Amino acid sequence: MVPCIQASDVTLTFRPKDREAVTAINGLTLEVARGEFVSIVGPSGCGKSTFLNVLLGLLKPDKGEIQLNGKRISGPGEERAMVFQEFGLLPWRTVLANVELGLELKGVAADTRRKRARGLIELVGLTAFENHYPHELSGGMKQRVGLARALVTEPEVLLMDEPFAALDAQTRDLMQTELLQIWDRAKKTVIFVTHSIEEAAYLSDRVVIMSARPGKVKEVLRIGLPRPREYEMRLSPGFNEIKSRIWSTLKEELVTRIGGDGAQR
Amino acid sequence: MRALANFYREREPAILGGGFILSLILAWQSVPSLVSLPQGISLFFTTPVEVIKAFHQLVVQNQIQSHFYVSAVEFIVGLALAILVGLPLGLVMGRSKILDAMLDPFVTAFNATPRLIFLPLLILWFGIGIWSKITIVFVGAVFPLLINTYEGVKNVDRVLVNVVRSFGANEWQTMKTVVLPNSVPYIVVGLRLAIGRALLGVVVGEFFAASRGLGYMIANAATNYKVDVVFVGVTIFMGLSLILTYFVKKLESRLSRWRPETAKNF
């Protein structure tokens, strides 16, 4: 079976005008199956977000390629949608208009897109707030809008760039649970970038640990926890063992990064 | 008594502000009856009542209307042209590196120069009719609009651009959904500046060389020592400026409904 996502030898170097070139990712190879939930963890600056942007089609790799269902990714496409770290909501649009955005850009008729958007707003539990502006919402509500907006075009692959990093701990726990429920129902393939080892372990089928910059896959860990995941699993000894395995692999990279990167920061 | 106190408390700023202006006008009106002005001064002196009389007479003679019409046409046409040119040009200069590099020296040079410098030249080219005034209004108003729009475009949030691009938006859609709405507060500031420059253009243009218009009316009255007519002109300009400022504020609050209260007064 063709994997849903197949990244082979992806390499990308940023060449800013008046600074030294930085190779963000170097020879990244990864396969993701359809319907799989894969998290990516790694030291800051290891190219996790860069990889997501290549997947999204906003950045083009210098070398290598990513295939989606056997077809090379060359630009944005409706099979993929991103949930952004700082929500990325258009502040001058209401919740409804923000969720409609993707359909509007595709030229879907107004009443059709309104109906679809309302359905997703209901799914994330914000029906009472559809006419509110983003600044009137809490962080958790904003990211629910971000999620609804990404889902509105019915993408096959959901890319999430530290989506819960800006939320407080309790809201974060809640959103994780809700995300798993939506994922379970909608059967999406999810690539989830995070800094939190616990979050990665709790949500994922597999956790990809990246090396320090220039980033590539250092290790892939299959999480054997049963589905559906329950909050209580986080308290089990097995869960702690998974966390410590991720941590020990990651630690080597953090040390490398701090040692080799001091001059650049 | 209680009702009166409440009435005052609710409208304190309006009563104090209005009352102060009113007492100044009364004081001004009573100057000639309190002191006898020497002839050299009384020739250039007038009172509010005389200004009102002069205004009434000018209205009856249909003079104000015809001068006002000319100035209004110069102002509106010049400003409209400035918006039609400055806004799109600011948008494309902000988005296109090539156009930015090409036009930037030109824009910077013109913006740094007081544009009234071009007035003699424009009058040579376009004559003393309305077209020289329309052009001077245009060159005055176009740069603040262009530059502020450009700034707005340059300050666009990169993340938001990526959001719409990730949905496959083309350049035109990106402009419409992110770049333009993001620039609106900047454009409104530009408009406010542009209105000031446009009024200045009308007045100075008409002072300099004209045969119609409110600026011409003021300059002409001053030459003939008709101080009351000068005051009529000045009052009209004050009133117009107040009305225009009010409309820009209205526009601003209408366009910024989506913004948090704290960010609105910038």
Side-chain angles (χ1 to χ4, degrees):
Chain A
M1 197 179 109
V2 186
C4 178
I5 295 166
Q6 186 164 31
S8 28
D9 197 24
V10 177
T11 300
L12 192 144
T13 303
F14 289 109
R15 295 182 170 78
K17 220 186 267 170
D18 33 271
R19 268 173 295 146
E20 247 178 278
V22 177
T23 301
I25 35 182
N26 191 7
L28 192 153
T29 298
L30 181 68
E31 281 186 9
V32 178
R34 199 175 319 278
E36 201 178 8
F37 197 124
V38 173
S39 287
I40 303 178
V41 295
S44 301
C46 74
K48 304 183 291 275
S49 297
T50 307
F51 179 59
L52 277 194
N53 279 319
V54 177
L55 263 169
L56 196 56
L58 293 182
L59 292 174
K60 289 203 174 20
D62 301 314
K63 224 179 84 191
E65 61 170 28
I66 305 180
Q67 292 193 345
L68 182 79
N69 300 326
K71 271 170 66 188
R72 182 204 181 105
I73 291 173
S74 59
E78 55 187 80
E79 332 77 29
R80 289 153 286 147
M82 175 99 113
V83 177
F84 291 81
Q85 182 178 359
E86 302 285 349
F87 320 126
L89 303 180
L90 306 186
W92 47 81
R93 284 182 175 232
T94 60
V95 167
L96 185 64
N98 261 293
V99 176
E100 279 182 34
L101 181 69
L103 299 173
E104 184 186 322
L105 292 168
K106 266 171 60 184
V108 174
D111 45 341
T112 316
R113 63 178 194 238
R114 190 135 306 171
K115 227 166 99 189
R116 291 258 293 280
R118 288 217 165 103
L120 281 155
I121 291 170
E122 198 188 330
L123 179 76
V124 298
L126 286 179
T127 301
F129 296 92
E130 64 172 41
N131 291 319
H132 282 55
Y133 287 97
H135 80 265
E136 299 167 314
L137 306 178
S138 70
M141 289 157 97
K142 283 183 196 166
Q143 200 52 297
R144 286 196 175 92
V145 179
L147 190 60
R149 182 178 64 184
L151 291 171
V152 81
T153 48
E154 292 175 353
E156 222 183 298
V157 179
L158 201 55
L159 307 170
M160 307 187 82
D161 188 5
E162 300 188 40
F164 307 146
L167 307 180
D168 65 79
Q170 276 140 34
T171 311
R172 193 174 179 148
D173 288 348
L174 198 69
M175 293 291 289
Q176 288 168 357
T177 308
E178 284 181 20
L179 174 64
L180 282 181
Q181 283 166 359
I182 290 170
W183 171 73
D184 193 42
R185 250 180 294 165
K187 300 287 171 217
K188 308 279 180 204
T189 307
V190 177
I191 313 277
F192 191 100
V193 163
T194 178
H195 266 113
S196 160
I197 293 170
E198 173 152 351
E199 187 170 69
Y202 177 58
L203 296 175
S204 317
D205 295 320
R206 285 189 300 153
V207 174
V208 175
I209 301 154
M210 282 177 73
S211 67
R213 190 165 66 213
K216 60 173 136 213
V217 176
K218 184 179 165 78
E219 201 182 315
V220 181
L221 209 70
R222 187 165 290 280
I223 310 295
L225 297 171
R227 299 267 184 195
R229 301 275 159 90
E230 310 280 348
Y231 189 83
E232 288 67 30
M233 289 177 187
R234 297 182 187 221
L235 311 169
S236 68
F239 190 73
N240 276 328
E241 200 180 303
I242 293 164
K243 268 167 59 181
S244 74
R245 272 184 62 193
I246 300 173
W247 170 242
S248 61
T249 311
L250 198 55
K251 198 167 62 182
E252 296 162 24
E253 291 308 313
L254 293 174
V255 172
T256 318
R257 194 185 121 75
I258 291 161
D261 207 36
Q264 286 181 32
R265 288 265 154 168
Chain B
M1 200 58 216
R2 184 82 155 278
L4 200 67
N6 275 337
F7 180 83
Y8 176 80
R9 206 169 306 124
E10 276 163 26
R11 295 168 183 78
E12 184 168 290
I15 291 170
L16 287 179
F20 186 62
I21 292 179
L22 206 66
S23 46
L24 276 184
I25 290 175
L26 283 175
W28 177 16
Q29 180 65 41
S30 54
V31 169
S33 40
L34 294 177
V35 288
S36 63
L37 295 165
Q39 214 189 355
I41 291 178
S42 69
L43 183 61
F44 304 121
F45 192 84
T46 187
T47 60
V49 169
E50 278 173 71
V51 174
I52 290 164
K53 273 190 205 153
F55 179 75
H56 177 74
Q57 207 177 4
L58 288 168
V59 170
V60 171
Q61 293 166 348
N62 207 22
Q63 289 224 37
I64 294 274
Q65 291 90 321
S66 70
H67 286 308
F68 178 84
Y69 174 74
V70 171
S71 297
V73 168
E74 292 163 356
F75 175 83
I76 291 167
V77 176
L79 188 64
L81 287 174
I83 293 171
L84 283 177
V85 173
L87 220 141
L89 208 57
L91 284 175
V92 296
M93 267 181 77
R95 291 298 287 173
S96 152
K97 283 206 176 94
I98 298 171
L99 278 174
D100 191 6
M102 266 172 61
L103 297 177
D104 180 63
F106 180 82
V107 171
T108 310
F110 266 82
N111 190 46
T113 315
R115 259 90 64 200
L116 291 173
I117 275 185
F118 301 108
L119 191 53
L121 198 58
L122 292 176
I123 284 164
L124 278 180
W125 285 347
F126 298 105
I128 63 163
I130 61 167
W131 282 103
S132 56
K133 263 66 83 185
I134 288 174
T135 21
I136 199 71
V137 167
F138 171 78
V139 289
V142 75
F143 290 100
L145 272 165
L146 193 160
I147 288 167
N148 278 280
T149 308
Y150 174 86
E151 281 302 315
V153 174
K154 282 285 167 193
N155 274 299
V156 67
D157 189 342
R158 298 282 321 153
V159 173
L160 297 186
V161 173
N162 278 344
V163 168
V164 294
R165 280 183 55 212
S166 79
F167 283 116
N170 57 31
E171 177 61 24
W172 165 244
Q173 288 176 317
T174 308
M175 192 83 106
K176 209 174 64 177
T177 51
V178 174
V179 177
L180 189 61
N182 187 78
S183 310
V184 162
Y186 294 85
I187 294 173
V188 173
V189 171
L191 185 65
R192 203 152 62 190
L193 287 170
I195 285 174
R197 301 284 167 79
L199 278 175
L200 191 71
V202 169
V203 176
V204 178
E206 288 175 356
F207 277 2
F208 196 79
S211 54
R212 314 301 311 251
L214 289 172
Y216 165 78
M217 187 188 86
I218 293 176
N220 192 44
T223 322
N224 295 311
Y225 305 140
K226 288 193 206 150
V227 184
D228 43 3
V229 177
V230 174
F231 270 102
V232 169
V234 170
T235 314
I236 290 174
F237 270 110
M238 278 173 99
L240 284 177
S241 305
L242 283 175
I243 292 167
L244 289 168
T245 311
Y246 172 79
F247 276 118
V248 173
K249 271 197 177 154
K250 272 269 170 227
L251 181 73
E252 201 167 9
S253 65
R254 215 192 120 63
L255 290 174
S256 60
R257 266 176 310 178
W258 55 270
R259 300 172 79 197
E261 286 301 321
T262 46
K264 275 182 182 166
N265 304 311
F266 101 103

